[in-house]
Amino acid sequence: MKSHDCHVLLTQLLPVDIRGILPQKVRHSITKLCFFFNSICSKVIDPGTLEKLQADVVLKLCELEMHFPPSFFDIMVHLTVHLVREIKMCGPMFLRYMYPFERAMGQLKGLVRSRSRPEGSIVEGYIAEEVIEFYTDYLGGVEPIGLPKSRHEGRLHGTGTIGFKLVKVGLEL
């Protein structure tokens, strides 16, 4: 999974999924940890609540240590304790998301044609796309080859609705 998928699973879906499965104490600890991640990833964070968030995450991790075996806890679980301090030093989390870079790297990875020289084939593919885009803009009325059309092409011009009909309902005698 991509990191954005894990983010959505952790902050939105996991609390809903574990409602009827786990014991209540375990479920509440995991749900509180999910709410912690949801609150630190929001766009607006009140600096006054950061100390309370720090205390809550430490408490929830201690509760999880009571419910899960020690093999569950690795360095990644411990790093959640340091997230609040990082927010204090660097600002909100959404300013440092890596999702756009991961998406761009996925597009570049799709350009690899030769496994022996991936960098060269990425450069060739990228230059080919740039040249095609330049020529389609330069030549104006020419249909581009190999570039997909937008699904919304032509739909956003004008007004009205598609297939709108006026129907009168009444009794015919």
Side-chain angles (χ1 to χ4, degrees):
M1 284 191 299
K2 303 247 186 263
S3 62
H4 184 263
D5 299 334
C6 291
H7 168 77
V8 171
L9 281 172
L10 185 64
T11 59
Q12 306 295 323
L13 298 176
L14 185 63
V16 176
D17 289 341
I18 63 172
R19 279 189 296 191
I21 299 173
L22 297 173
Q24 185 177 3
K25 290 182 178 181
V26 178
R27 185 176 64 233
H28 285 308
S29 298
I30 293 174
T31 304
K32 292 280 187 172
L33 191 63
C34 293
F35 289 155
F36 166 76
F37 282 115
N38 197 15
S39 62
I40 65 168
C41 291
S42 63
K43 289 194 175 188
V44 179
I45 298 175
D46 182 20
T49 62
L50 288 177
E51 291 301 324
K52 184 178 182 312
L53 283 174
Q54 177 69 34
D56 286 347
V57 74
V58 170
L59 183 66
K60 292 308 161 197
L61 288 177
C62 289
E63 287 178 9
L64 287 174
E65 286 179 6
M66 290 189 283
H67 301 299
F68 291 102
S71 61
F72 175 77
F73 297 94
D74 59 359
I75 191 66
M76 294 305 290
V77 177
H78 169 73
L79 289 177
T80 57
V81 174
H82 300 289
L83 289 176
V84 175
R85 184 175 55 94
E86 188 176 324
I87 290 172
K88 288 178 184 176
M89 289 189 312
C90 302
M93 285 284 219
F94 78 94
L95 296 174
R96 296 174 308 227
Y97 282 156
M98 294 303 291
Y99 308 138
F101 301 104
E102 287 181 357
R103 191 176 307 118
M105 292 305 289
Q107 290 172 348
L108 291 177
K109 190 177 169 184
L111 296 175
V112 173
R113 301 288 179 243
S114 169
R115 287 184 179 245
S116 64
R117 302 195 192 290
E119 297 91 355
S121 62
I122 288 174
V123 169
E124 285 179 0
Y126 189 77
I127 289 174
E129 284 182 5
E130 287 289 321
V131 168
I132 290 171
E133 286 182 28
F134 172 75
Y135 278 125
T136 55
D137 290 341
Y138 181 74
L139 296 175
V142 178
E143 290 284 325
I145 298 173
L147 294 177
K149 281 189 173 183
S150 171
R151 295 183 318 146
H152 309 292
E153 187 75 32
R155 291 172 137 192
L156 303 176
H157 304 291
T159 58
T161 59
I162 299 172
F164 178 75
K165 294 180 182 177
L166 182 63
V167 178
K168 290 185 179 182
V169 179
L171 294 175
E172 292 183 26
L173 296 172

